[in-house]
Amino acid sequence: MSDSIEIISWNVNGIRAVGNKDALKWIDEREPDILCLQEIKALQEQIPDGLFEKEYTDIIVNSATKKGYSGTMTWSTLQSDANSVAHHVDTTAEGRIVETHYDDIVLFNVYFPNGQKNEERLAHKMKFYDDFLAHCEQLREDGKSIIICGDVNTAHTEIDLSNPKANSKTSGFLPIEREWMDKLIDHGYIDTFRYVNGEEKERYSWWSYRSGARDRNVGWRIDYFFISEDLCESLEDAFILNDITGSDHCPVGIRISI
């Protein structure tokens, strides 16, 4: 008999800031089995106590070496095995990946790079994308099933952001970035939200802090859960928790039987 678990991913845009706002207290009510956070912007010793009361037995932090920048963290009630790492695909010391292994399933919590700063940073983002996919494909060759969650920093199709035409030359919606997401799907990874919810429009996970964008729902869907296609029959739900505030992103999640 397989167990159904809930996994939630959230770019918190600073775990200390979120802690100061008590913006993770909803965890005690919802009680996800696994919580994946991105952009924690903290070293392990800087992570506040008392973010919530729920107890997680398996906690892995991957902080950037640069203080107050990037970083990922996975909290789990399931015990990951010894292959779990924080992480070798990301050679930049920016703390962008936590990889946890649960028997034959590998869960990736990823904060993909942003390419808006300059051409060099965009090139870095594209290399990161390709290196990451190659790593996932190697694991699949070894017989693993894959779950990828996090801030992908790209909206895939025109229905995944409010103003596609105005942003067609902005990193985050460039053809080259969107083509990589096509490639990911062509390799047999499923966008869980679209798989469950079809072509639902105006469903976003990030809003600019400027000009009341969130109140007006002028947003982008850049936070995703992808699963390898062998897990499709196990997927029970995929959702966006857009009523949860405290960051410029909102949490996204899936329920899956494993």
Side-chain angles (χ1 to χ4, degrees):
M1 187 80 180
S2 60
D3 286 327
S4 177
I5 66 163
E6 184 170 87
I7 312 173
I8 285 179
S9 169
W10 192 17
N11 178 325
V12 291
N13 195 5
I15 197 165
R16 288 172 287 182
V18 160
N20 288 338
K21 301 174 201 166
D22 285 342
L24 273 163
K25 295 292 187 189
W26 59 273
I27 293 295
D28 290 325
E29 191 175 327
R30 186 143 192 134
E31 297 198 316
D33 300 279
I34 303 176
L35 175 64
C36 299
L37 302 181
Q38 302 92 44
E39 210 174 351
I40 60 171
K41 299 182 178 177
L43 301 172
Q44 185 149 6
E45 60 270 22
Q46 295 175 311
I47 294 164
D49 293 326
L51 292 167
F52 43 77
E53 290 178 15
K54 180 170 173 60
E55 290 188 9
Y56 289 95
T57 51
D58 195 51
I59 301 170
I60 299 177
V61 179
N62 188 7
S63 301
T65 51
K66 181 178 169 185
K67 285 189 175 171
Y69 179 74
S70 188
T72 45
M73 181 175 187
T74 299
W75 315 62
S76 181
T77 56
L78 312 180
Q79 189 59 48
S80 59
D81 66 34
N83 294 319
S84 300
V85 284
H87 193 274
H88 49 268
V89 174
D90 176 18
T91 57
T92 59
E94 292 180 354
R96 291 192 174 273
I97 304 178
V98 176
E99 173 185 327
T100 42
H101 290 238
Y102 306 98
D103 297 327
D104 290 333
I105 294 177
V106 183
L107 169 65
F108 287 98
N109 169 11
V110 193
Y111 177 38
F112 290 88
N114 187 312
Q116 288 188 356
K117 188 177 179 184
N118 52 37
E119 285 295 320
E120 184 185 358
R121 201 62 190 165
L122 177 61
H124 166 70
K125 177 181 182 178
M126 298 313 301
K127 182 178 187 306
F128 186 103
Y129 273 167
D130 287 337
D131 290 350
F132 176 72
L133 179 54
H135 178 62
C136 290
E137 288 298 279
Q138 184 59 58
L139 286 166
R140 285 175 84 192
E141 280 180 29
D142 295 340
K144 301 292 187 183
S145 302
I146 308 290
I147 301 173
I148 302 162
C149 72
D151 178 358
V152 180
N153 256 317
T154 296
H156 184 207
T157 69
E158 290 197 348
I159 62 170
D160 292 317
L161 73 167
S162 295
N163 297 310
K165 287 194 169 52
N167 287 291
S168 61
K169 293 180 179 170
T170 301
S171 177
F173 199 60
L174 294 173
I176 190 174
E177 296 165 315
R178 298 170 63 196
E179 281 162 15
W180 180 81
M181 294 185 79
D182 291 338
K183 183 162 81 170
L184 183 68
I185 287 166
D186 289 344
H187 276 73
Y189 296 86
I190 308 297
D191 176 349
T192 58
F193 184 79
R194 288 283 166 234
Y195 187 81
V196 170
N197 300 285
E199 300 294 293
E200 235 175 69
K201 295 181 179 174
E202 298 183 359
R203 298 301 307 276
Y204 308 127
S205 66
W206 175 83
W207 303 263
S208 169
Y209 278 135
R210 292 196 291 270
S211 65
R214 189 160 185 169
D215 291 338
R216 296 183 294 120
N217 198 28
V218 177
W220 298 51
R221 189 173 75 97
I222 57 175
D223 301 88
Y224 292 80
F225 268 88
F226 287 96
I227 55 174
S228 52
E229 55 196 355
D230 59 301
L231 291 174
C232 258
E233 288 185 8
S234 304
L235 182 67
E236 297 173 6
D237 197 12
F239 49 85
I240 297 174
L241 301 175
N242 53 283
D243 56 335
I244 291 174
T245 58
S247 166
D248 50 349
H249 296 250
C250 73
V252 299
I254 60 170
R255 180 160 281 282
I256 193 165
S257 56
I258 62 168

